[in-house]
Amino acid sequence: MFATSLGAGAPAGTGPTPGRPAGAAPTAAGSDRAAELPAVTVVRRFAELERLAGPAQEASRSSPDFDDRATERLLAELVEPFHATCASPPLVSIVLPTFDRAEPLRRAIASVLAQTYEHWELLVADDGSTDDTPAVVAGFEEPRIQHLRLPHGGVCRARNAGLARARGRYVAYLDSDNAWEPRFLEVMVAFLASTGHRAAHSALRFTEDGRTLYRTGPFDRPHLLLQNAIDCNTIVHDRELAHEIGGWDEELRRTNDWDYVLRLTAATTLAYVPYVGVDYEHDRRKTDRITIREPVGFRMKVREKHLLDWSSPVPVEAGVVSVIIVAETPLELLEGCVASVLEHTEHPALEVVVIDPGLPRADGLRVAALELHDPRVQVHRLVGELHEVIPRNAGALRARGEHLVFLASDLRVGAGWLPPLLEALAAGAAAAQPLVLDHAGVVVSAGLLFPAGGLPYLAWAGSAEQAPWVRSPAPRQALTRHCMVVPAVELRRLRGFDPLFLRTLFDADLCLRLTASTGGRVSFVADSTAVRQFDRRRRAVRDASANDRTVFEERWDGRVASDETEAFEPHGLVAGRRTFAAAFDGSQAATHVPSIELRHRPAAPLRWAIKIAAREVEVREAWGDWHFANALREQLRSLGHEVVIDLHDAWYRPTAALDEVVLCLRGVRRYHPDPDQLNLLWLISHPDDVPQAEYRGYDRVYVASEVFAGHLRAELGVPAEVLLQCTDPSRFEPGEKERGGPQVLFVGNSRMILRPIVRDALAAGLDLGIVGAKWQGLGDDRHLLTDHVPNEQLPALYRSAGVVLNDHWADMRRRGFLSNRLFDLAACAAPVVSDEIEGLDQVFGGLVRTYREPPELAAAVEEVLAAKDRERAARLDLAHLVRERHTFAARARTLSDAAVAVAATRGPRQPA
């Protein structure tokens, strides 16, 4: 499963994790939780994770100084005595691969001819050169040189061809752009033959930009796993070792020498010889170098090869779902991510695998604490610079789930997120992903789309969550790394994500390999949602995808059909002007991303956007505006319109120009209308916050108050129309009388103050029950029932109470804005006491009692309770009236008629 850097342990769930209290109860993870744990417990667990991971620091690769005295001792005490007494010097086979490097090759061969040790053969493995290489080799007229003419197949294939022809006891490697010091072979042969070591390396002198550094040694294997510290030009080893370790890996076009060194050191000790045997000049202008020409991702390929063992993963257990999260900073987001998974995943067999990719120790301690709160969480630590792919694969090998969910650490999942994804897999999808939104409900990812040419891009990024093209079921060719569920067996068969990709495109590559392997497609599932947490520190990530672009294009260019047109056309959209850009979060490489534009649709429905003041997805359920807007949206859709809801931070999303009608439910924040759109204002609260100039930006102005509408018309000349608030009769209905509720009920958040009606109720000694958030410490907490009741449960709660209290903001009360709650309560035939407000009796027929001064509240409540049964018939009549006249359906018809009428005067909107 894991090599020595990650030791195997008992699968999660089979026993307590070291350092975790046995029988620990599941809790939400979080930084506040970390503070509750005994510090010694966290430190011990982190120490265990560090021990399993191995050394966290890379050994220094270079030094400006070299110990010449050590060389002098070596020559005097070992090298010269050996050669003075050696009767049969061993043959050294020198393997020199080359490709179109005729000029540097001269220097390399000359350095071999200059060796003081003469018992060698030079195998020039010519990898299909097309330049003067044959003439250069032939020009030396040296019988010990063999020119192996090979078809072009890469440096490792060339080296293996040289090894196959080698006859020497020892093998040495020399690249065509390097040179040896004259005594290199003399020193290395003497050292190996005298000490009995099977392999050794010398020091290297490294020149770059006028600076000279030395790479020395020794290096132990754990540090060699972290860095490519030993150049192959410095190595001499027993020839049989090459056969024992399987030669050079021909799949590695770069950093193959690192892989070779790691396999050598797994088989024997690679001893250090304190002698500068190689001169290496690094010239960044030389474009023929493998380090310039080939993708840097091969470095990660080698790291994974020696860190992870795909042949021995943790066994898969049927029915288990493993959520794999790679830890990143800021850790507050990681903690929120883990907490959301534990809270909102009702799957009976869940584990959360958190991979620490080698974060600084202070952060590592905090990550380690996550598993100590909940036995479903396990943490594993890696070391070194690993980017994202290797940690994901490490999690896949450590997880026991039948299904693996890869989840970005800055996301949160909500209730019901997992079942739709598993259903997609059960229906035959090779992989599935949810709709990924930003904190304001704007689409981050709905999978990937492929243009006719170029790299894939994030599907529907910048669109509204409810846009019809976003909500449509859609097979995809590829999904994104943000959240993806994959069958464990298939992922392991393909050896996971390809570490050749450093930061981007590994998700698209995996999906294409999955679909090529299974013959199916992957699925975007709009009924499942994950939300990116808001982070004020977030900045656009610089595109660093050159390596990933090269790898992806080499592998997939011309092999993936465009699916752009089939995604756009059914919704009356076209791919518009393209901008070359990377994804804001760095999740996708820079490519030409099209704008989403409208095609002319003569008989198409109007596209609406309802703007509300709630800022974020995570808190919108606590806002009445959210539920109000959703009910209105459904009624507008029933009239044939396309409707989305924009939270405050999504008001000006990138695709806002697609909307034809904007309805602003004006609350505490101002929206600035686009004059090219049809703009409707419905003022439902906070009238004093609206400046006169704001009204002029709208085509129609609606006000939820007779009094204030009259004021606007008479005093300001604003042609305001009355549109009172309303209720949803499908949810709020009289029903049967419920039992067991509080005698006096108040539902509402505190607004961080002791609201007057609650203050007066407590002062009067009423038997009050409070439902709402942020009330702790503002009054007597014994009256708090819960901080939240789902909207669909409110009708039963209202019907169960003896009487329900209602209040208004001061400016709403003064301006005659009847609250939405009054309409909901009336629709349920609930007895109500409210603060005094103009227009109440005209709408509710005198059945809502009011009070003006605090002492009057108790009397009003007592009066309502006494008349409750006697007035029930009248309240039922009122409920019938409200459910008929004051409904979202009625309001939607009014707004729809107005929008259609205004649109008719403007004529059809031209497509972009």
Side-chain angles (χ1 to χ4, degrees), residues 706-731:
E706 291 271 7
V707 175
F708 196 66
H711 164 74
L712 290 178
R713 289 192 297 267
E715 303 297 328
L716 302 179
V718 176
E721 303 175 46
V722 177
L723 197 64
L724 299 179
Q725 295 212 45
C726 52
T727 190
D728 180 358
S730 67
R731 175 167 294 167

Side-chain angles (χ1 to χ4, degrees), residues 378-611:
Q378 53 174 300
V379 175
H380 301 282
R381 182 171 170 84
L382 306 176
V383 293
E385 184 185 356
L386 295 174
H387 301 296
E388 188 173 354
V389 171
I390 293 177
R392 283 176 172 246
N393 287 342
L397 288 171
R398 193 65 183 85
R400 58 194 177 94
E402 177 183 10
H403 296 110
L404 307 178
V405 181
F406 296 94
L407 183 64
S409 64
D410 61 348
L411 299 185
R412 291 181 72 103
V413 297
W417 72 282
L418 183 59
L421 298 175
L422 298 182
E423 289 167 9
L425 294 189
Q433 82 154 77
L435 173 61
V436 181
L437 305 173
D438 72 6
H439 73 284
V442 176
V443 174
V444 171
S445 166
L448 292 171
L449 292 177
F450 286 80
L455 300 179
Y457 58 88
L458 296 172
W460 310 134
S463 293
E465 174 186 1
Q466 299 97 349
W469 51 91
V470 173
R471 308 306 303 183
S472 298
R476 292 275 190 264
Q477 296 188 89
L479 308 174
T480 64
R481 73 198 220 184
H482 301 92
C483 182
M484 184 191 304
V485 57
V486 187
V489 171
E490 290 298 319
L491 181 104
R492 289 175 174 181
R493 186 172 60 80
L494 296 176
R495 296 192 165 223
F497 299 96
D498 192 335
L500 275 177
F501 296 94
L502 300 180
R503 293 180 176 86
T504 63
L505 294 168
F506 57 81
D507 42 13
D509 172 75
L510 174 66
C511 291
L512 292 173
R513 287 188 288 125
L514 278 169
T515 55
S517 170
T518 63
R521 277 203 168 190
V522 295
S523 291
F524 158 64
V525 182
D527 291 335
S528 174
T529 302
V531 179
R532 176 184 288 160
Q533 301 174 69
F534 181 61
D535 179 16
R536 294 185 184 278
R537 296 161 291 187
R538 193 186 303 276
R539 295 291 184 270
V541 177
R542 180 178 63 88
D543 178 45
S545 59
N547 170 89
D548 303 340
R549 176 188 303 277
T550 299
V551 175
F552 192 85
E553 289 175 342
E554 273 188 12
R555 186 172 295 173
W556 298 109
D557 186 43
R559 296 180 56 194
V560 185
S562 172
D563 55 4
E564 192 175 67
T565 300
E566 67 180 85
F568 278 68
E569 278 193 346
H571 305 288
L573 304 174
V574 292
R577 186 175 181 83
R578 297 177 189 270
T579 302
F580 189 76
F584 180 85
D585 60 359
S587 64
Q588 291 301 314
T591 188
H592 289 93
V593 182
S595 60
I596 302 173
E597 297 179 3
L598 284 171
R599 191 176 59 204
H600 182 53
R601 307 180 305 162
L606 288 174
R607 298 184 190 275
W608 291 61
I610 302 175
K611 312 289 186 181

Side-chain angles (χ1 to χ4, degrees), residues 482-822:
H482 301 92
C483 182
M484 184 191 304
V485 57
V486 187
V489 171
E490 290 298 319
L491 181 104
R492 289 175 174 181
R493 186 172 60 80
L494 296 176
R495 296 192 165 223
F497 299 96
D498 192 335
L500 275 177
F501 296 94
L502 300 180
R503 293 180 176 86
T504 63
L505 294 168
F506 57 81
D507 42 13
D509 172 75
L510 174 66
C511 291
L512 292 173
R513 287 188 288 125
L514 278 169
T515 55
S517 170
T518 63
R521 277 203 168 190
V522 295
S523 291
F524 158 64
V525 182
D527 291 335
S528 174
T529 302
V531 179
R532 176 184 288 160
Q533 301 174 69
F534 181 61
D535 179 16
R536 294 185 184 278
R537 296 161 291 187
R538 193 186 303 276
R539 295 291 184 270
V541 177
R542 180 178 63 88
D543 178 45
S545 59
N547 170 89
D548 303 340
R549 176 188 303 277
T550 299
V551 175
F552 192 85
E553 289 175 342
E554 273 188 12
R555 186 172 295 173
W556 298 109
D557 186 43
R559 296 180 56 194
V560 185
S562 172
D563 55 4
E564 192 175 67
T565 300
E566 67 180 85
F568 278 68
E569 278 193 346
H571 305 288
L573 304 174
V574 292
R577 186 175 181 83
R578 297 177 189 270
T579 302
F580 189 76
F584 180 85
D585 60 359
S587 64
Q588 291 301 314
T591 188
H592 289 93
V593 182
S595 60
I596 302 173
E597 297 179 3
L598 284 171
R599 191 176 59 204
H600 182 53
R601 307 180 305 162
L606 288 174
R607 298 184 190 275
W608 291 61
I610 302 175
K611 312 289 186 181
I612 65 173
R615 279 189 179 274
E616 300 180 36
V617 173
E618 289 185 26
V619 300
R620 66 188 181 186
E621 291 291 334
W623 282 66
D625 287 4
W626 169 249
H627 301 286
F628 190 95
N630 267 295
L632 185 60
R633 173 177 178 264
E634 289 307 310
Q635 295 304 321
L636 286 169
R637 291 182 66 206
S638 72
L639 297 174
H641 300 288
E642 294 177 359
V643 189
V644 301
I645 301 171
D646 285 333
L647 304 183
H648 175 272
D649 289 2
W651 280 358
Y652 310 103
R653 56 182 156 77
T655 57
L658 296 179
D659 306 321
E660 296 163 298
V661 181
V662 171
L663 170 63
C664 177
L665 298 181
R666 181 59 157 93
V668 295
R669 299 184 176 106
R670 179 177 181 177
Y671 169 72
H672 297 276
D674 179 348
D676 290 335
Q677 294 171 315
L678 195 160
N679 296 288
L680 308 178
L681 174 68
W682 189 359
L683 182 56
I684 59 177
S685 66
H686 301 287
D688 288 354
D689 292 346
V690 183
Q692 182 177 352
E694 183 174 343
Y695 296 109
R696 289 195 290 270
Y698 290 91
D699 296 281
R700 294 286 176 89
V701 174
Y702 296 94
V703 180
S705 165
E706 291 271 7
V707 175
F708 196 66
H711 164 74
L712 290 178
R713 289 192 297 267
E715 303 297 328
L716 302 179
V718 176
E721 303 175 46
V722 177
L723 197 64
L724 299 179
Q725 295 212 45
C726 52
T727 190
D728 180 358
S730 67
R731 175 167 294 167
F732 295 95
E733 56 183 354
E736 297 297 324
K737 289 193 294 184
E738 308 281 347
R739 302 294 179 186
Q743 183 183 48
V744 182
L745 171 68
F746 179 82
V747 177
N749 299 330
S750 73
R751 303 171 183 163
M752 304 305 292
I753 60 171
L754 185 59
R755 292 168 67 157
I757 200 168
V758 173
R759 178 199 62 208
D760 296 342
L762 294 175
L766 298 178
D767 183 14
L768 177 66
I770 301 174
V771 172
K774 299 182 179 179
W775 283 102
Q776 288 79 4
L778 291 177
D780 189 339
D781 288 354
R782 291 175 300 174
H783 292 273
L784 307 184
L785 302 179
T786 181
D787 61 357
H788 177 68
V789 170
N791 209 46
E792 59 271 15
Q793 296 177 18
L794 281 177
L797 179 64
Y798 290 156
R799 292 192 297 265
S800 72
V803 61
V804 183
L805 303 184
N806 179 78
D807 67 350
H808 298 81
W809 288 95
D811 60 341
M812 292 176 64
R813 185 174 64 252
R814 186 173 63 256
R815 299 291 196 175
F817 281 76
L818 301 174
S819 73
N820 170 248
R821 197 177 306 280
L822 284 172

